[in-house]
Amino acid sequence: MDEEIDTRKINSSFLRDHNYATEADIISTVEFNPTGELLATGDKGGRVVVFQREQESKNQPHRRGEYNVYSTFQSHEPEFDYLKSLEIEEKINKIRWLPQQNAAYFLLSTNDKTVKLWKISERDKRPEGYNLKEEDGRIRDPSTITALRVPVLQPMDLMVEATPRRVFSNAHTYHINSISVNSDYETYMSTDDLRINLWNLEITNRSFNIVDIKPSNMEELTEVITAAEFHPHQCNTFVYSSSKGTIRLCDMRESALCDNHSKFFEEPEDPSNRSFFSEIISSISDVKFSHSGRYLMTRDYLTVKVWDLNMESKPLETYQVHDYLRSKLCSLYENDCIFDKFECVWNGSDSVIMTGSYNNFFRMFDRNTKRDVTLEASRENSKPRAVLKPRKVCVGGKRRKDEISVDSLDFSKKILHTAWHPSENIIAVAATNNLYIFQDKIN
Protein backbone atom coordinates (compact mmCIF):
# COMPACT_ATOMS: atom_id res chain seq x y z
CA MET A 1 0.00 0.00 0.00
CA ASP A 2 2.96 2.30 0.60
CA GLU A 3 4.48 2.10 -2.84
CA GLU A 4 1.51 1.30 -5.08
CA ILE A 5 -2.06 1.42 -3.91
CA ASP A 6 -3.27 -0.94 -6.62
CA THR A 7 -0.69 -3.71 -6.46
CA ARG A 8 -2.92 -6.10 -4.60
CA LYS A 9 -2.75 -9.79 -5.00
CA ILE A 10 -5.74 -12.00 -4.76
CA ASN A 11 -5.03 -14.43 -2.03
CA SER A 12 -7.99 -16.74 -1.97
CA SER A 13 -11.65 -16.58 -2.62
CA PHE A 14 -14.41 -18.54 -1.01
CA LEU A 15 -16.56 -19.15 -4.05
CA ARG A 16 -19.82 -21.00 -3.85
CA ASP A 17 -21.02 -22.65 -7.04
CA HIS A 18 -22.90 -20.06 -9.10
CA ASN A 19 -25.41 -22.62 -10.32
CA TYR A 20 -26.58 -23.34 -6.79
CA ALA A 21 -26.48 -19.81 -5.40
CA THR A 22 -29.77 -19.04 -3.73
CA GLU A 23 -31.06 -15.92 -2.02
CA ALA A 24 -29.96 -17.51 1.29
CA ASP A 25 -26.32 -17.60 0.13
CA ILE A 26 -26.04 -13.83 -0.29
CA ILE A 27 -23.46 -12.50 2.18
CA SER A 28 -24.94 -9.78 4.38
CA THR A 29 -22.01 -8.90 6.67
CA VAL A 30 -18.21 -9.37 6.88
CA GLU A 31 -16.05 -8.78 9.96
CA PHE A 32 -12.43 -9.48 11.04
CA ASN A 33 -11.81 -10.26 14.70
CA PRO A 34 -9.54 -7.85 16.66
CA THR A 35 -6.34 -9.80 15.80
CA GLY A 36 -7.28 -10.49 12.17
CA GLU A 37 -6.71 -14.23 12.63
CA LEU A 38 -10.40 -14.92 12.09
CA LEU A 39 -12.89 -13.55 9.58
CA ALA A 40 -16.64 -14.04 9.93
CA THR A 41 -19.35 -13.70 7.32
CA GLY A 42 -23.10 -13.81 7.85
CA ASP A 43 -25.62 -14.51 5.11
CA LYS A 44 -29.31 -14.13 4.35
CA GLY A 45 -29.89 -17.76 5.33
CA GLY A 46 -28.93 -17.02 8.94
CA ARG A 47 -25.58 -18.84 8.72
CA VAL A 48 -22.27 -17.64 10.08
CA VAL A 49 -19.09 -18.90 8.40
CA VAL A 50 -15.82 -18.28 10.26
CA PHE A 51 -12.52 -18.47 8.38
CA GLN A 52 -9.16 -18.93 10.09
CA ARG A 53 -5.84 -17.72 8.78
CA GLU A 54 -3.21 -20.32 7.89
CA GLN A 55 -0.20 -20.38 10.19
CA GLU A 56 3.11 -19.78 8.46
CA SER A 57 4.99 -22.96 7.61
CA LYS A 58 8.67 -23.19 6.72
CA ASN A 59 7.95 -25.36 3.65
CA GLN A 60 5.35 -22.96 2.21
CA PRO A 61 6.08 -19.45 3.43
CA HIS A 62 3.81 -17.95 0.74
CA ARG A 63 0.81 -19.82 2.14
CA ARG A 64 0.70 -17.44 5.13
CA GLY A 65 -2.45 -15.41 4.94
CA GLU A 66 -4.75 -17.87 3.28
CA TYR A 67 -8.07 -18.10 5.09
CA ASN A 68 -9.76 -21.48 5.35
CA VAL A 69 -13.18 -22.40 6.71
CA TYR A 70 -12.87 -22.87 10.48
CA SER A 71 -16.48 -23.19 11.61
CA THR A 72 -19.95 -22.91 10.08
CA PHE A 73 -23.10 -22.69 12.17
CA GLN A 74 -26.73 -21.66 11.91
CA SER A 75 -27.02 -18.50 14.00
CA HIS A 76 -30.65 -17.47 13.42
CA GLU A 77 -33.76 -19.28 12.22
CA PRO A 78 -36.81 -17.72 10.55
CA GLU A 79 -39.42 -16.78 13.15
CA PHE A 80 -42.98 -15.48 13.18
CA ASP A 81 -44.29 -12.63 15.32
CA TYR A 82 -47.85 -13.69 16.05
CA LEU A 83 -48.84 -10.38 17.66
CA LYS A 84 -47.95 -8.41 14.55
CA SER A 85 -48.46 -11.20 12.00
CA LEU A 86 -44.95 -10.58 10.69
CA GLU A 87 -42.29 -12.93 9.50
CA ILE A 88 -38.88 -12.26 11.05
CA GLU A 89 -36.15 -13.10 8.58
CA GLU A 90 -33.14 -15.16 9.61
CA LYS A 91 -30.77 -12.85 7.68
CA ILE A 92 -27.69 -11.81 9.69
CA ASN A 93 -27.56 -8.00 9.70
CA LYS A 94 -24.29 -7.53 11.61
CA ILE A 95 -21.50 -9.47 13.31
CA ARG A 96 -19.23 -7.98 15.96
CA TRP A 97 -16.33 -9.81 17.62
CA LEU A 98 -15.41 -9.45 21.27
CA PRO A 99 -11.72 -9.25 22.21
CA GLN A 100 -10.29 -12.66 22.99
CA GLN A 101 -9.95 -13.32 26.74
CA ASN A 102 -9.07 -17.03 26.74
CA ALA A 103 -8.77 -19.91 24.29
CA ALA A 104 -12.34 -19.43 23.05
CA TYR A 105 -13.66 -16.76 20.69
CA PHE A 106 -16.89 -14.80 21.20
CA LEU A 107 -18.98 -12.96 18.65
CA LEU A 108 -22.32 -11.16 18.59
CA SER A 109 -24.62 -11.70 15.63
CA THR A 110 -28.00 -10.10 15.02
CA ASN A 111 -30.96 -10.41 12.70
CA ASP A 112 -33.81 -7.86 12.63
CA LYS A 113 -34.94 -8.55 16.20
CA THR A 114 -32.59 -10.76 18.22
CA VAL A 115 -28.91 -10.48 19.16
CA LYS A 116 -27.03 -13.66 20.08
CA LEU A 117 -23.66 -14.14 21.78
CA TRP A 118 -21.82 -17.15 20.38
CA LYS A 119 -18.84 -18.97 21.82
CA ILE A 120 -16.52 -20.71 19.35
CA SER A 121 -14.16 -23.18 20.99
CA GLU A 122 -11.92 -26.11 20.05
CA ARG A 123 -11.99 -29.64 21.45
CA ASP A 124 -9.21 -32.14 20.78
CA LYS A 125 -9.74 -34.48 23.76
CA ARG A 126 -12.72 -36.50 24.91
CA PRO A 127 -13.40 -38.13 28.28
CA GLU A 128 -13.66 -41.95 28.27
CA GLY A 129 -14.48 -44.43 31.00
CA TYR A 130 -17.71 -43.09 32.48
CA ASN A 131 -19.13 -44.92 35.47
CA LEU A 132 -22.85 -44.36 34.93
CA LYS A 133 -23.09 -44.57 31.15
CA GLU A 134 -21.71 -46.51 28.21
CA GLU A 135 -19.36 -44.90 25.65
CA ASP A 136 -22.31 -44.40 23.28
CA GLY A 137 -24.22 -42.47 25.94
CA ARG A 138 -26.68 -45.16 27.13
CA ILE A 139 -27.27 -45.20 30.89
CA ARG A 140 -25.84 -48.35 32.52
CA ASP A 141 -27.88 -50.60 34.75
CA PRO A 142 -26.77 -49.64 38.31
CA SER A 143 -26.80 -53.32 39.39
CA THR A 144 -24.04 -54.11 36.87
CA ILE A 145 -21.67 -51.41 38.19
CA THR A 146 -19.23 -53.24 40.45
CA ALA A 147 -16.08 -51.12 40.17
CA LEU A 148 -15.28 -47.44 40.18
CA ARG A 149 -13.47 -46.16 37.09
CA VAL A 150 -11.45 -42.99 36.77
CA PRO A 151 -12.40 -41.29 33.48
CA VAL A 152 -9.43 -40.40 31.27
CA LEU A 153 -9.06 -37.80 28.51
CA GLN A 154 -8.24 -39.38 25.16
CA PRO A 155 -6.98 -37.38 22.16
CA MET A 156 -9.46 -37.03 19.28
CA ASP A 157 -9.70 -35.19 15.98
CA LEU A 158 -9.94 -31.44 16.44
CA MET A 159 -13.54 -30.30 16.63
CA VAL A 160 -14.67 -26.67 16.51
CA GLU A 161 -17.91 -26.08 18.39
CA ALA A 162 -20.15 -23.02 18.24
CA THR A 163 -22.53 -22.67 21.19
CA PRO A 164 -25.01 -19.87 21.89
CA ARG A 165 -24.21 -18.38 25.31
CA ARG A 166 -26.72 -15.52 25.51
CA VAL A 167 -29.85 -14.51 23.58
CA PHE A 168 -30.85 -10.84 23.81
CA SER A 169 -34.41 -10.53 22.52
CA ASN A 170 -37.74 -8.68 22.81
CA ALA A 171 -36.21 -5.22 23.08
CA HIS A 172 -36.77 -3.82 19.57
CA THR A 173 -40.03 -2.85 17.90
CA TYR A 174 -38.24 -1.97 14.66
CA HIS A 175 -35.48 -3.67 12.71
CA ILE A 176 -31.99 -3.76 14.22
CA ASN A 177 -29.54 -2.16 11.78
CA SER A 178 -26.34 -2.14 13.85
CA ILE A 179 -24.65 -3.41 16.99
CA SER A 180 -21.47 -2.05 18.55
CA VAL A 181 -19.35 -3.40 21.42
CA ASN A 182 -18.20 -0.81 23.93
CA SER A 183 -14.52 -0.35 24.78
CA ASP A 184 -15.29 -1.42 28.39
CA TYR A 185 -16.06 -4.87 26.90
CA GLU A 186 -18.93 -5.20 29.38
CA THR A 187 -21.66 -3.49 27.40
CA TYR A 188 -22.84 -3.18 23.82
CA MET A 189 -25.59 -1.29 22.03
CA SER A 190 -28.17 -2.40 19.50
CA THR A 191 -29.80 0.14 17.20
CA ASP A 192 -33.06 0.11 15.27
CA ASP A 193 -34.77 2.79 13.17
CA LEU A 194 -35.95 4.84 16.15
CA ARG A 195 -34.18 3.64 19.28
CA ILE A 196 -30.78 2.64 20.66
CA ASN A 197 -30.57 0.17 23.55
CA LEU A 198 -27.60 -0.43 25.86
CA TRP A 199 -27.05 -3.98 27.10
CA ASN A 200 -24.78 -5.64 29.61
CA LEU A 201 -23.22 -8.72 28.00
CA GLU A 202 -24.14 -10.79 31.08
CA ILE A 203 -27.78 -9.70 31.36
CA THR A 204 -30.28 -10.81 28.73
CA ASN A 205 -33.64 -9.88 30.22
CA ARG A 206 -33.25 -6.10 30.33
CA SER A 207 -31.60 -3.27 28.46
CA PHE A 208 -31.52 0.50 28.87
CA ASN A 209 -32.96 2.75 26.22
CA ILE A 210 -30.35 5.47 25.62
CA VAL A 211 -31.78 7.14 22.48
CA ASP A 212 -35.42 7.39 21.47
CA ILE A 213 -36.36 9.58 18.51
CA LYS A 214 -39.89 8.18 18.11
CA PRO A 215 -42.36 11.11 17.90
CA SER A 216 -45.59 10.90 19.89
CA ASN A 217 -47.43 11.09 16.58
CA MET A 218 -45.82 8.83 13.97
CA GLU A 219 -47.09 11.09 11.19
CA GLU A 220 -44.55 13.65 12.36
CA LEU A 221 -41.68 11.24 11.76
CA THR A 222 -39.04 12.97 9.61
CA GLU A 223 -35.94 10.80 10.02
CA VAL A 224 -34.72 7.39 11.15
CA ILE A 225 -31.48 6.17 12.71
CA THR A 226 -29.36 4.36 10.12
CA ALA A 227 -26.23 3.29 12.07
CA ALA A 228 -24.52 3.75 15.43
CA GLU A 229 -21.08 3.05 16.84
CA PHE A 230 -19.19 3.40 20.12
CA HIS A 231 -15.99 5.45 20.33
CA PRO A 232 -12.99 3.05 20.21
CA HIS A 233 -11.45 4.32 23.49
CA GLN A 234 -14.01 6.43 25.40
CA CYS A 235 -16.70 4.14 26.79
CA ASN A 236 -19.11 7.03 27.40
CA THR A 237 -19.15 8.34 23.81
CA PHE A 238 -21.04 7.07 20.79
CA VAL A 239 -22.36 8.42 17.48
CA TYR A 240 -25.42 7.70 15.42
CA SER A 241 -26.27 8.74 11.88
CA SER A 242 -29.62 9.52 10.34
CA SER A 243 -31.48 9.32 7.06
CA LYS A 244 -31.25 13.11 6.87
CA GLY A 245 -27.47 13.00 6.48
CA THR A 246 -26.71 14.18 10.02
CA ILE A 247 -24.46 12.66 12.68
CA ARG A 248 -24.99 13.10 16.41
CA LEU A 249 -22.27 12.51 18.98
CA CYS A 250 -23.65 11.65 22.42
CA ASP A 251 -22.08 11.46 25.88
CA MET A 252 -23.68 9.01 28.32
CA ARG A 253 -22.25 10.93 31.29
CA GLU A 254 -24.55 13.87 30.61
CA SER A 255 -27.86 12.06 31.09
CA ALA A 256 -29.34 8.59 31.05
CA LEU A 257 -31.39 9.33 27.93
CA CYS A 258 -29.07 10.79 25.26
CA ASP A 259 -31.79 12.59 23.34
CA ASN A 260 -29.76 15.78 23.52
CA HIS A 261 -26.56 15.30 21.55
CA SER A 262 -23.31 16.97 22.56
CA LYS A 263 -22.14 17.45 18.95
CA PHE A 264 -24.05 17.67 15.70
CA PHE A 265 -22.28 17.15 12.36
CA GLU A 266 -23.99 18.29 9.19
CA GLU A 267 -22.83 19.67 5.88
CA PRO A 268 -25.06 22.50 4.61
CA GLU A 269 -26.51 21.60 1.22
CA ASP A 270 -25.47 23.53 -1.85
CA PRO A 271 -28.77 24.99 -3.17
CA SER A 272 -27.51 24.74 -6.77
CA ASN A 273 -27.30 20.92 -6.45
CA ARG A 274 -30.79 20.54 -5.00
CA SER A 275 -32.95 17.94 -6.74
CA PHE A 276 -35.80 15.52 -6.13
CA PHE A 277 -33.23 12.92 -5.00
CA SER A 278 -31.23 15.18 -2.64
CA GLU A 279 -32.78 13.81 0.54
CA ILE A 280 -32.54 10.16 -0.49
CA ILE A 281 -28.87 10.33 -1.52
CA SER A 282 -27.87 12.31 1.59
CA SER A 283 -29.04 9.49 3.89
CA ILE A 284 -26.01 8.02 5.69
CA SER A 285 -25.72 4.24 5.31
CA ASP A 286 -22.65 3.69 7.53
CA VAL A 287 -20.64 5.54 10.17
CA LYS A 288 -17.24 4.44 11.51
CA PHE A 289 -14.81 5.92 14.03
CA SER A 290 -11.17 5.87 12.97
CA HIS A 291 -8.95 3.55 15.04
CA SER A 292 -7.38 6.62 16.66
CA GLY A 293 -10.80 7.92 17.68
CA ARG A 294 -10.05 11.35 16.21
CA TYR A 295 -12.10 11.08 13.00
CA LEU A 296 -15.47 9.86 11.80
CA MET A 297 -16.16 8.41 8.38
CA THR A 298 -19.64 8.44 6.88
CA ARG A 299 -20.93 6.92 3.67
CA ASP A 300 -23.91 8.30 1.79
CA TYR A 301 -25.08 7.21 -1.66
CA LEU A 302 -22.48 9.05 -3.74
CA THR A 303 -19.68 10.02 -1.35
CA VAL A 304 -17.52 9.08 1.61
CA LYS A 305 -16.82 11.89 4.07
CA VAL A 306 -14.21 12.13 6.81
CA TRP A 307 -15.09 14.38 9.75
CA ASP A 308 -12.84 15.75 12.48
CA LEU A 309 -14.55 15.33 15.86
CA ASN A 310 -13.52 18.91 16.66
CA MET A 311 -15.20 20.43 13.58
CA GLU A 312 -18.96 20.05 13.24
CA SER A 313 -19.67 22.52 10.45
CA LYS A 314 -18.29 20.58 7.50
CA PRO A 315 -16.34 17.43 6.67
CA LEU A 316 -12.56 17.49 6.55
CA GLU A 317 -12.45 15.40 3.35
CA THR A 318 -15.05 14.35 0.78
CA TYR A 319 -14.40 11.54 -1.70
CA GLN A 320 -16.61 10.93 -4.74
CA VAL A 321 -17.29 7.20 -4.95
CA HIS A 322 -19.20 7.08 -8.24
CA ASP A 323 -20.03 10.62 -9.29
CA TYR A 324 -20.82 9.33 -12.80
CA LEU A 325 -24.13 8.00 -11.39
CA ARG A 326 -25.49 11.52 -10.76
CA SER A 327 -27.11 11.54 -14.20
CA LYS A 328 -28.57 8.06 -13.58
CA LEU A 329 -30.41 8.76 -10.31
CA CYS A 330 -33.82 8.56 -11.97
CA SER A 331 -33.34 4.98 -13.21
CA LEU A 332 -31.58 4.03 -9.94
CA TYR A 333 -34.66 5.27 -8.10
CA GLU A 334 -36.95 3.21 -10.30
CA ASN A 335 -34.97 -0.02 -9.77
CA ASP A 336 -34.62 0.72 -6.00
CA CYS A 337 -30.80 0.75 -6.17
CA ILE A 338 -30.80 4.29 -4.78
CA PHE A 339 -31.75 2.76 -1.41
CA ASP A 340 -28.71 0.42 -1.31
CA LYS A 341 -26.76 0.67 1.93
CA PHE A 342 -23.01 0.69 1.27
CA GLU A 343 -20.55 0.23 4.12
CA CYS A 344 -17.13 1.86 4.50
CA VAL A 345 -13.96 0.79 6.35
CA TRP A 346 -10.62 2.24 7.50
CA ASN A 347 -7.29 0.48 7.10
CA GLY A 348 -5.31 -0.23 10.28
CA SER A 349 -3.46 3.08 10.26
CA ASP A 350 -6.46 5.25 9.22
CA SER A 351 -4.57 6.39 6.11
CA VAL A 352 -6.69 4.60 3.47
CA ILE A 353 -10.44 4.13 3.28
CA MET A 354 -12.43 1.64 1.25
CA THR A 355 -16.03 1.36 0.16
CA GLY A 356 -18.04 -0.48 -2.47
CA SER A 357 -19.82 0.43 -5.68
CA TYR A 358 -21.68 -1.30 -8.53
CA ASN A 359 -20.45 -3.75 -11.17
CA ASN A 360 -18.52 -5.50 -8.34
CA PHE A 361 -16.24 -2.46 -8.13
CA PHE A 362 -14.78 -1.28 -4.86
CA ARG A 363 -12.95 2.00 -4.30
CA MET A 364 -9.91 2.93 -2.22
CA PHE A 365 -8.87 6.45 -1.30
CA ASP A 366 -5.41 7.23 0.07
CA ARG A 367 -5.86 10.15 2.45
CA ASN A 368 -2.20 11.20 2.30
CA THR A 369 -1.48 11.13 -1.44
CA LYS A 370 -5.13 11.83 -2.44
CA ARG A 371 -4.83 9.03 -4.98
CA ASP A 372 -7.74 6.70 -5.52
CA VAL A 373 -8.24 3.45 -7.34
CA THR A 374 -11.18 1.36 -8.55
CA LEU A 375 -10.76 -2.42 -8.37
CA GLU A 376 -13.08 -5.24 -9.36
CA ALA A 377 -13.95 -8.38 -7.43
CA SER A 378 -15.17 -10.92 -9.96
CA ARG A 379 -14.53 -14.54 -10.78
CA GLU A 380 -13.28 -13.75 -14.29
CA ASN A 381 -10.33 -11.58 -13.30
CA SER A 382 -9.60 -13.00 -9.85
CA LYS A 383 -7.26 -15.92 -10.32
CA PRO A 384 -5.30 -16.73 -7.16
CA ARG A 385 -2.08 -14.68 -6.96
CA ALA A 386 -3.05 -12.50 -9.91
CA VAL A 387 -2.56 -8.75 -9.62
CA LEU A 388 -5.77 -6.75 -9.86
CA LYS A 389 -5.87 -4.17 -12.63
CA PRO A 390 -7.37 -0.77 -11.84
CA ARG A 391 -10.68 -0.16 -13.61
CA LYS A 392 -11.99 3.09 -15.10
CA VAL A 393 -15.51 4.18 -15.95
CA CYS A 394 -15.99 6.58 -18.85
CA VAL A 395 -18.91 8.97 -19.20
CA GLY A 396 -19.82 9.92 -22.76
CA GLY A 397 -17.23 10.69 -25.42
CA LYS A 398 -14.78 8.11 -26.73
CA ARG A 399 -14.16 5.01 -24.66
CA ARG A 400 -10.62 3.74 -24.29
CA LYS A 401 -9.89 0.04 -24.68
CA ASP A 402 -9.68 -0.78 -20.98
CA GLU A 403 -12.50 1.49 -19.83
CA ILE A 404 -16.09 0.49 -19.14
CA SER A 405 -18.99 2.71 -20.18
CA VAL A 406 -21.31 3.96 -17.44
CA ASP A 407 -24.22 2.57 -19.47
CA SER A 408 -22.91 -0.99 -19.34
CA LEU A 409 -22.44 -1.16 -15.55
CA ASP A 410 -24.23 -4.07 -13.90
CA PHE A 411 -26.30 -2.69 -11.01
CA SER A 412 -27.26 -6.13 -9.76
CA LYS A 413 -23.61 -6.75 -8.84
CA LYS A 414 -22.82 -4.55 -5.88
CA ILE A 415 -20.19 -4.52 -3.15
CA LEU A 416 -22.10 -3.51 -0.03
CA HIS A 417 -19.97 -5.24 2.64
CA THR A 418 -16.20 -4.99 3.06
CA ALA A 419 -13.72 -5.45 5.91
CA TRP A 420 -10.07 -4.53 6.45
CA HIS A 421 -7.61 -6.54 8.56
CA PRO A 422 -6.88 -4.56 11.76
CA SER A 423 -3.12 -4.36 11.21
CA GLU A 424 -2.20 -5.68 7.75
CA ASN A 425 -3.15 -4.87 4.17
CA ILE A 426 -5.60 -7.71 3.78
CA ILE A 427 -9.17 -6.94 2.76
CA ALA A 428 -12.33 -9.02 2.52
CA VAL A 429 -14.93 -8.08 -0.06
CA ALA A 430 -18.39 -9.66 -0.31
CA ALA A 431 -19.79 -9.77 -3.84
CA THR A 432 -23.30 -11.24 -3.67
CA ASN A 433 -22.67 -14.88 -2.64
CA ASN A 434 -18.86 -14.82 -3.05
CA LEU A 435 -16.24 -13.70 -0.57
CA TYR A 436 -12.95 -12.41 -1.98
CA ILE A 437 -9.85 -11.95 0.13
CA PHE A 438 -7.13 -9.74 -1.34
CA GLN A 439 -3.75 -8.91 0.09
CA ASP A 440 -0.93 -6.55 -0.74
CA LYS A 441 1.52 -7.82 -3.29
CA ILE A 442 4.53 -9.17 -1.43
CA ASN A 443 7.57 -8.33 -3.49
Side-chain angles (χ1 to χ4, degrees):
M1 201 44 105
D2 299 47
E3 64 290 318
E4 272 295 307
I5 195 166
D6 49 20
T7 54
R8 316 204 116 243
K9 215 171 191 184
I10 179 165
N11 144 354
S12 62
S13 54
F14 175 65
L15 302 170
R16 293 182 174 150
D17 190 332
H18 256 327
N19 308 325
Y20 298 104
T22 62
E23 179 80 3
D25 292 326
I26 295 173
I27 297 173
S28 51
T29 182
V30 187
E31 189 76 9
F32 280 101
N33 79 331
T35 61
E37 287 302 301
L38 298 180
L39 170 68
T41 66
D43 64 25
K44 285 193 173 179
R47 289 180 301 251
V48 172
V49 181
V50 180
F51 301 86
Q52 186 181 43
R53 197 174 181 190
E54 280 277 319
Q55 294 306 313
E56 197 154 5
S57 68
K58 289 202 171 67
N59 327 340
Q60 298 175 301
H62 66 276
R63 283 284 304 259
R64 170 74 176 140
E66 292 202 357
Y67 283 80
N68 297 318
V69 177
Y70 178 63
S71 173
T72 305
F73 57 94
Q74 188 72 30
S75 174
H76 287 70
E77 301 279 356
E79 293 170 59
F80 193 78
D81 183 336
Y82 292 98
L83 288 174
K84 296 200 178 72
S85 291
L86 279 179
E87 284 184 44
I88 301 169
E89 287 184 7
E90 64 273 41
K91 174 191 165 203
I92 308 292
N93 292 343
K94 282 282 185 291
I95 289 173
R96 289 288 178 264
W97 290 90
L98 274 67
Q100 196 177 354
Q101 311 282 0
N102 51 28
Y105 301 98
F106 288 88
L107 64 81
L108 288 167
S109 65
T110 184
N111 68 349
D112 285 341
K113 298 286 181 186
T114 305
V115 183
K116 294 185 181 182
L117 174 68
W118 288 88
K119 176 185 180 182
I120 301 166
S121 51
E122 295 183 355
R123 268 216 323 218
D124 59 356
K125 293 184 177 64
R126 67 164 184 266
E128 279 183 4
Y130 291 107
N131 288 290
L132 299 177
K133 56 183 182 183
E134 303 286 357
E135 297 309 330
D136 59 8
R138 282 177 307 162
I139 302 293
R140 288 171 67 186
D141 176 6
S143 60
T144 64
I145 302 173
T146 54
L148 199 60
R149 292 192 284 183
V150 179
V152 289
L153 287 173
Q154 298 286 7
M156 60 177 250
D157 290 340
L158 179 69
M159 204 167 90
V160 180
E161 291 179 312
T163 45
R165 297 309 299 268
R166 307 260 187 287
V167 177
F168 306 89
S169 54
N170 304 327
H172 285 278
T173 313
Y174 307 97
H175 291 177
I176 298 173
N177 55 43
S178 51
I179 47 177
S180 177
V181 180
N182 201 346
S183 57
D184 62 9
Y185 305 137
E186 290 178 12
T187 54
Y188 78 91
M189 64 180 173
S190 56
T191 307
D192 68 26
D193 295 341
L194 299 179
R195 297 193 179 106
I196 301 177
N197 291 334
L198 180 71
W199 301 81
N200 186 302
L201 282 160
E202 299 294 323
I203 302 167
T204 59
N205 58 359
R206 68 172 182 269
S207 61
F208 292 96
N209 180 226
I210 52 174
V211 171
D212 185 350
I213 65 164
K214 185 182 179 186
S216 47
N217 176 5
M218 280 297 269
E219 287 176 6
E220 294 165 10
L221 182 69
T222 57
E223 62 180 335
V224 294
I225 302 171
T226 53
E229 191 179 56
F230 270 118
H231 190 283
H233 316 304
Q234 298 164 8
C235 62
N236 52 283
T237 309
F238 67 93
V239 292
Y240 67 91
S241 58
S242 85
S243 56
K244 274 195 158 173
T246 60
I247 308 114
R248 291 171 175 84
L249 182 86
C250 302
D251 188 338
M252 292 192 288
R253 294 173 300 190
E254 286 177 15
S255 67
L257 193 61
C258 302
D259 282 359
N260 295 325
H261 48 267
S262 46
K263 289 193 176 181
F264 181 77
F265 302 85
E266 182 178 29
E267 183 170 31
E269 194 193 359
D270 179 356
S272 62
N273 283 340
R274 179 115 190 102
S275 76
F276 170 76
F277 304 108
S278 294
E279 266 187 36
I280 304 174
I281 63 172
S282 66
S283 174
I284 293 173
S285 55
D286 197 15
V287 58
K288 293 267 176 38
F289 273 105
S290 63
H291 295 83
S292 66
R294 169 80 192 268
Y295 303 105
L296 271 176
M297 168 166 56
T298 59
R299 169 74 210 257
D300 56 41
Y301 191 65
L302 293 176
T303 65
V304 172
K305 293 172 181 164
V306 175
W307 303 77
D308 188 320
L309 285 193
N310 301 325
M311 187 169 76
E312 299 166 58
S313 56
K314 62 175 198 285
L316 202 61
E317 301 153 21
T318 301
Y319 300 98
Q320 299 296 336
V321 178
H322 36 217
D323 205 42
Y324 45 78
L325 296 183
R326 246 179 229 286
S327 58
K328 297 247 173 290
L329 292 177
C330 199
S331 54
L332 290 163
Y333 177 74
E334 284 167 4
N335 65 13
D336 276 354
C337 283
I338 202 166
F339 302 107
D340 285 334
K341 292 176 169 49
F342 291 95
E343 294 170 11
C344 52
V345 286
W346 300 88
N347 72 339
S349 61
D350 299 333
S351 60
V352 182
I353 55 186
M354 169 173 67
T355 190
S357 178
Y358 293 103
N359 208 66
N360 280 355
F361 287 172
F362 57 98
R363 305 268 284 133
M364 289 185 173
F365 303 94
D366 190 313
R367 297 180 57 213
N368 301 326
T369 64
K370 299 296 182 229
R371 287 176 57 203
D372 64 273
V373 65
T374 304
L375 300 170
E376 183 181 0
S378 72
R379 297 164 77 95
E380 291 72 48
N381 59 11
S382 296
K383 304 279 182 289
R385 319 230 161 266
V387 175
L388 288 185
K389 289 191 177 69
R391 303 297 308 261
K392 285 216 165 37
V393 178
C394 83
V395 186
K398 290 193 74 173
R399 186 165 66 89
R400 292 209 187 96
K401 176 167 73 73
D402 52 350
E403 289 183 338
I404 179 166
S405 158
V406 68
D407 297 316
S408 52
L409 293 173
D410 186 342
F411 292 106
S412 66
K413 294 179 175 172
K414 48 193 103 168
I415 306 282
L416 300 176
H417 314 287
T418 56
W420 202 308
H421 188 288
S423 55
E424 295 179 45
N425 281 328
I426 297 176
I427 58 171
V429 174
T432 327
N433 60 317
N434 297 322
L435 176 72
Y436 296 87
I437 297 173
F438 302 104
Q439 69 177 9
D440 238 355
K441 191 167 94 175
I442 300 147
N443 295 328

